[in-house]
Amino acid sequence: MRLTSPSVSISLELLTRCAVKHGRRQATVSPLRKQRDFDRKESTRQELLDAAIDVFCDKGYHFSLISDIVTKAGVGQGTFYRHFKSKRDLIDSIMDEFGRMMLGQFDFMTVHLPANADEYREASKNAIQAMATLLEKNRKLALLLLREAPTVDRDFEQRVNELYNQFAGLAAFYLDYAVDRGFARPCNTTMVAQAIVGMGLRHINLWLHDETNRTDIHELINELVDFAFLGFGA
């Protein structure tokens, strides 16, 4: 049997209490520290994305260097490579975020499908208005992708086309729903959906390049939706 002096026992007890207390403190602080580290990492990543959008818009994708981007963001190149593998990986991330933002504007309409033609038209206008607001807020990003997408490489151009096809798929889904409910005429919904997306892209391009702000976006949305519902008929 090992004998332990009172002083040693007290010391061991204090050490045990400190260890338990320290462990509890770590259990409380550690998640907070992890969250702060995560927030800091995400903030730096977003700063790099924002800097890249500015640099790509000013110089074009192919003439932009990683050194230009990190200088704009105020970070080192090592920080860049902790977030992105390459310049191409960076513009892929920009494209991914843009696609999620744009498609997300139709989530409400998808969940709360309209019950009649009037609700359908109103829901369409609301969704397009939300998308227009998002485009206006991210004008440089939208212009960047419209201008640079065909020049990056064929794979990236294909990714952009896939995004357009997702919009066309959504439009076809809503058209099928309207036809099934009887408040849209029977038609080739796949073909009409592609036509609607093409028409929308052309008007978006014109609107985003209109630096004089002569285009009334509300009038444009009303005309597009009315044309989609009424066509040329009087």
Side-chain angles (χ1 to χ4, degrees):
M1 179 177 178
R2 177 177 294 181
L3 297 176
T4 305
S5 68
S7 61
V8 173
S9 297
I10 293 172
S11 298
L12 288 173
E13 185 179 354
L14 286 172
L15 286 172
T16 302
R17 288 179 181 176
C18 287
V20 171
K21 185 178 180 182
H22 182 65
R24 287 176 181 168
R25 183 178 298 167
Q26 274 197 326
T28 303
V29 173
S30 182
L32 294 175
R33 183 177 297 130
K34 287 181 180 179
Q35 185 62 48
R36 284 197 298 267
D37 290 344
F38 176 80
D39 292 343
R40 190 181 303 112
K41 183 178 179 181
E42 286 300 299
S43 176
T44 302
R45 183 178 184 276
Q46 190 59 52
E47 287 170 2
L48 284 165
L49 290 170
D50 292 341
I53 292 169
D54 287 339
V55 172
F56 290 158
C57 282
D58 292 340
K59 293 189 171 186
Y61 173 79
H62 290 289
F63 292 101
S64 298
L65 304 175
I66 290 175
S67 58
D68 298 324
I69 297 168
V70 297
T71 299
K72 181 77 174 178
V75 300
Q77 291 210 16
T79 300
F80 176 91
Y81 287 108
R82 281 197 291 272
H83 293 273
F84 304 102
K85 297 176 183 177
S86 62
K87 185 173 71 170
R88 172 57 197 277
D89 183 35
L90 176 58
I91 200 168
D92 278 342
S93 296
I94 291 172
M95 180 68 194
D96 289 341
E97 292 202 8
F98 180 75
R100 280 195 297 270
M101 287 191 302
M102 295 296 288
L103 291 168
Q105 303 310 307
F106 293 88
D107 286 347
F108 182 84
M109 186 174 173
T110 303
V111 174
H112 304 278
L113 290 169
N116 54 57
D118 289 337
E119 286 187 12
Y120 190 92
R121 289 176 68 181
E122 192 63 27
S124 299
K125 289 180 181 180
N126 290 340
I128 297 172
Q129 179 61 60
M131 189 169 64
T133 300
L134 185 64
L135 285 170
E136 178 62 29
K137 186 178 179 181
N138 297 274
R139 181 181 285 258
K140 289 187 75 171
L141 170 57
L143 284 170
L144 165 67
L145 293 175
L146 285 170
R147 186 185 68 193
E148 295 293 324
T151 74
V152 175
D153 57 39
R154 296 191 68 175
D155 287 341
F156 191 80
E157 185 178 10
Q158 181 59 35
R159 291 194 66 208
V160 175
N161 286 330
E162 287 172 2
L163 177 61
Y164 295 158
N165 285 334
Q166 285 182 277
F167 278 113
L170 272 175
F173 168 78
Y174 298 136
L175 284 169
D176 286 333
Y177 174 82
V179 171
D180 289 342
R181 295 304 185 279
F183 45 85
R185 66 172 178 81
C187 62
N188 184 328
T189 55
T190 300
M191 189 179 296
V192 173
Q194 291 286 353
I196 290 172
V197 170
M199 181 173 60
L201 282 171
R202 175 57 179 163
H203 280 288
I204 287 171
N205 208 332
L206 289 172
W207 172 56
L208 289 174
H209 282 89
D210 180 13
E211 296 180 357
T212 62
N213 293 318
R214 289 177 299 178
T215 303
D216 185 330
I217 189 60
H218 298 290
E219 180 183 2
L220 175 58
I221 291 171
N222 285 332
E223 290 292 342
L224 286 174
V225 173
D226 285 347
F227 177 76
F229 276 86
L230 305 175
F232 289 112

